Amino acid sequence: LVSIFTYVVTTVIFMLNLLIAQLNCSYQATYEDMVGYARLNRSKIVVDTMPSVPRWRWERFIASLRLDERVEFGEGDIGFSG
């Protein structure tokens, strides 16, 4: 009788752990989908707004990024491998 009780308790605990793992996996997949949809919506807003930005302002913004200049690595940067 004790062995049957031990088996049932062990099985219930195992099944609960499987349920928790399934719920966690489902939550992670849902969260990744949510982040993807948020990025798509944000990009849609940017694309819809771009025609209203004057060309001179866009060019000034691009120039302010200074993408042509080299960047030094900071203290915490790992840098290139090799």
Side-chain angles (χ1 to χ4, degrees):
L1 187 63
V2 172
S3 62
I4 294 174
F5 179 74
T6 305
Y7 173 76
V8 169
V9 169
T10 304
T11 305
V12 168
I13 290 173
F14 179 73
M15 291 296 176
L16 283 174
N17 282 335
L18 282 177
L19 176 64
I20 291 169
Q22 284 292 105
L23 290 174
N24 187 24
C25 185
S26 174
Y27 175 79
Q28 286 176 347
T30 303
Y31 180 77
E32 289 173 5
D33 286 344
M34 179 186 70
V35 169
Y37 284 124
R39 287 182 181 160
L40 285 173
N41 286 334
R42 189 176 301 147
S43 66
K44 182 180 181 294
I45 292 170
V46 170
V47 168
D48 290 343
T49 306
M50 281 304 295
S52 67
V53 176
R55 183 152 190 87
W56 63 269
R57 183 172 291 198
W58 177 251
E59 289 173 358
R60 190 175 70 183
F61 168 71
I62 294 297
S64 72
L65 294 177
R66 297 182 290 179
L67 296 174
D68 295 333
E69 296 179 15
R70 296 183 67 122
V71 179
E72 293 293 327
F73 286 112
E75 186 177 318
D77 293 334
I78 296 173
F80 295 112
S81 61

